[in-house]
Amino acid sequence: MPEVPLEAITGEITSQLDPRTKTQLENLKELSVSYYSKVRQCMKPWGEFANVRTMSKPQTAGEAGHRVYVNVFKYQGNYLCLVFLLFLYSVATNPYLLLGIGLGCFSHLYFATKRNPHDGSVKIAGRELSLGQQYGVTCACTIPLLFLGSAGSLLFWLIGASVVLVLFHASFVAVESSRVFEESV
């Protein structure tokens, strides 16, 4: 097959994505990039976060509450990263959840790329699926897998484990402030 010089190739590359989907994806990208940069600015070095020399038992409940208040604000990026790692661990160790989330993402992206830009319909196997039917197919495929993977119990486990982890760390890391709230009797 003879080679075609690059200068001889002309034309325009067009995308199959619906313009509404492009706008949604661009907005999502902008939002996630700005949020990620904000979280990165709030993160403290992991050496400072995990420094056991700064940890001590609070003397009173007021001091523990003050420590939690200060440390949650100070280390919010680190805590968010730990919660995200807990989420990844719990999803990666549950094959039904992994399959359900993957199938849901794949079907949504498939429908988004094949969607008619005028009415949002997709033609599959000679049948035209409306936008509502597309969401119905996606839900019919993913909800049983999420149910089998106990997505609800995972959510509550994640919330509980995150709260315990954050409160435990935040209450034991000493703050530099000389002002400590004392309980008045």
Side-chain angles (χ1 to χ4, degrees):
M1 185 165 168
E3 280 193 36
V4 178
L6 290 177
E7 296 81 26
I9 299 175
T10 59
E12 189 175 300
I13 298 176
T14 58
S15 174
Q16 295 179 350
L17 280 177
D18 179 6
R20 293 174 293 185
T21 306
K22 281 184 185 177
T23 306
Q24 290 171 353
L25 289 175
E26 289 168 0
N27 290 344
L28 183 65
K29 180 182 176 187
E30 289 174 17
L31 229 143
S32 61
V33 166
S34 69
Y35 186 72
Y36 176 73
S37 65
K38 193 182 299 183
V39 168
R40 285 286 295 165
Q41 289 173 354
C42 293
M43 282 186 74
K44 300 292 181 192
W46 288 102
E48 177 185 335
F49 178 76
N51 188 0
V52 291
R53 292 188 183 124
T54 61
M55 292 188 181
S56 65
K57 186 178 116 181
Q59 300 300 317
T60 64
E63 182 184 0
H66 178 67
R67 285 182 179 190
V68 168
Y69 179 77
V70 170
N71 287 330
V72 165
F73 181 75
K74 183 178 179 181
Y75 296 114
Q76 64 184 338
N78 299 75
Y79 292 140
L80 190 62
C81 184
L82 286 177
V83 170
F84 183 69
L85 289 174
L86 276 175
F87 171 75
L88 286 180
Y89 166 75
S90 56
V91 168
T93 57
N94 191 334
Y96 286 120
L97 283 178
L98 200 58
L99 187 62
I101 291 171
L103 186 64
C105 290
F106 173 76
S107 64
H108 178 72
L109 288 175
Y110 177 79
F111 288 140
T113 56
K114 301 297 182 185
R115 196 171 286 151
N116 184 347
H118 301 295
D119 60 356
S121 64
V122 172
K123 202 169 220 181
I124 295 179
R127 295 200 63 186
E128 195 165 309
L129 298 177
S130 69
L131 193 58
Q133 290 171 330
Q134 295 168 37
Y135 287 127
V137 167
T138 301
C139 288
C141 293
T142 58
I143 288 177
L145 291 171
L146 295 177
F147 181 75
L148 287 172
S150 302
S153 64
L154 169 93
L155 177 69
F156 287 110
W157 176 85
L158 184 63
I159 290 170
S162 302
V163 167
V164 167
L165 180 72
V166 168
L167 288 178
F168 181 77
H169 180 270
S171 65
F172 279 95
V173 173
V175 294
E176 293 89 25
S177 175
S178 62
R179 190 175 108 184
V180 175
F181 294 106
E182 294 290 332
E183 286 186 55
S184 56
V185 179

